[in-house]
Amino acid sequence: MTTAPVPLTFPFHDWSQELSPHHDRLREADAPVCPVVSEYTGDRLWLVTRYATAKRLLEDRRFSSTAAMAPGAPRQEPVELRAPGTTGDGVSVLREAGLRTVFTEGLGPRAARRHGKWLRDRADTLLRDLAECEGPVDLAADFAQPLAVAMTSRVLLGELSTEEAALLRDRTDLALQFCGATAEEQRGGLIDIHRFFTAHARRLADGPGDHLLKRLAEAPAENGPLGDAALSEIAALLLIAGFPTSSGFLCGALITLLRHPEAVGRLHRDPELIPDAVEELLRHTPLSTGAAKRMATEDADIDGVRIRRGEVAMVSLEAANHDPDAFDDPDSFRPERQGPGHLGFGHGPNFCPGNRLARCLIDAMVRAVARRPGLHLTVGPEEIRWHEGLFFRRPKAIPASW
């Protein structure tokens, strides 16, 4: 008699740009949805790595993102992602206040047009100043992260001082990681973020600029103006959804570009290729080290696999974006690639509302790099060191020069 294989523990500790071979093995398994076990909680979870199955699950309204974040839900993370006394779910706070439309419009096409030129100018200025430096530069510390901070301040939260931005970056790194800190330390990071916005969200909302937190604070809510507690939760949502994702992805996309100088040369000669290159970066460059999670609100069959009510299914967007059944030669970076849409922003009801602004930010970075060909890594890609355990991949440094 044979015994069922022991489920793999998750996450797979692929902190760099190299995806774990476990993703390929699961994608090639007989079942399109495979059981895994959280390394940190022991919770049994389901993991999807195939593109077609991922799309079906993400568009299935029987699978809820909100329910997957509820207290006591099976989880991949070491701790529940909420400070004591908070919901940890700024989207639900917005929904209850009747501000979801204000939120999505504040991240939509008009916002991208409103901030697009400023982001392009900011990216170009940062890289121009670096080009004037002698010797190698660190594109992580001196380009990608300052650009992400600039976007977060101008577009999302309002004017953050250098010290405030550094504090929020450090506390976010502490809270959003799989390993490297104790559970108590991670909860402390979440508490510090909550305390910061309890003290400063109203000041940021009342400050200068045309940013999303201000728009939400000033918009008429169904139950009256937002209180400080609600505004604090919304500010935390904007921080966590905006800064670690944008800084991590910009770093990864920069490395992808510099590993393909011939592609940068084509973008320099033909800037009309840049929008397609942005989409290929979003497909090719991995960001999350975990997976997008959804809880089944009723028994559901996904491609022949029965998932019971209350169980949590997770979708590896990175694995799905490298599925050879969906993408020809998926591990190759092809700026001119045509084909199915990537899942970099998810899919279905929870498709990332900030996708327009994220594309605008990445476009600004790519244009700045393409405008100055010759930028290259000063170490081999395999020598780049990565922060271990973060939810969102980020290198410790990107040594480069012209």
Side-chain angles (χ1 to χ4, degrees), residues 1 73 79 83 100 108 238 287 308 316-317 320 359 367 375 392:
M1 184 178 73
V79 300
R100 186 66 187 270
L238 296 177
L287 175 62
R308 302 292 180 183
S316 172
L317 304 177
R359 285 183 165 102
R367 290 182 187 278
L375 182 63
F392 303 107

Side-chain angles (χ1 to χ4, degrees), residues 90-249:
V91 173
S92 292
V93 174
L94 288 165
R95 188 183 301 116
E96 291 169 6
L99 294 174
R100 186 66 187 270
T101 300
V102 178
F103 176 73
T104 54
E105 288 180 350
L107 296 171
R110 290 182 181 177
R113 289 193 296 270
R114 188 165 63 250
H115 299 292
K117 182 180 184 303
W118 186 90
L119 287 171
R120 289 191 297 273
D121 290 345
R122 185 63 183 147
D124 198 59
T125 298
L126 283 168
L127 204 57
R128 181 195 64 209
D129 290 347
L130 288 179
E132 295 174 356
C133 296
E134 294 184 5
V137 298
D138 178 2
L139 293 178
D142 299 327
F143 180 46
Q145 292 188 55
L147 184 57
V149 168
M151 183 279 297
T152 302
S153 294
R154 179 182 175 87
V155 179
L156 301 179
L157 289 173
E159 291 188 2
L160 295 167
S161 70
T162 301
E163 294 75 18
E164 289 172 335
L167 170 68
L168 292 174
R169 180 196 64 215
D170 292 344
R171 298 297 93 183
T172 302
D173 277 356
L174 181 60
L176 303 183
Q177 61 178 297
F178 285 109
C179 58
T182 66
E184 183 178 358
E185 288 170 335
Q186 288 187 265
R187 293 189 189 98
L190 292 164
I191 290 170
D192 287 346
I193 292 169
H194 173 63
R195 286 175 175 167
F196 176 86
F197 285 122
T198 298
H200 297 289
R202 185 66 60 183
R203 184 258 301 172
L204 291 168
D206 291 341
D210 180 18
H211 53 87
L212 185 51
L213 190 65
K214 175 190 282 290
R215 290 186 168 223
L216 291 166
E218 294 177 349
E222 290 184 356
N223 301 316
L226 288 173
D228 289 349
L231 195 64
S232 173
E233 291 220 37
I234 292 168
L237 165 69
L238 296 177
L239 169 72
I240 290 173
F243 178 69
T245 54
S246 59
S247 63
F249 189 82

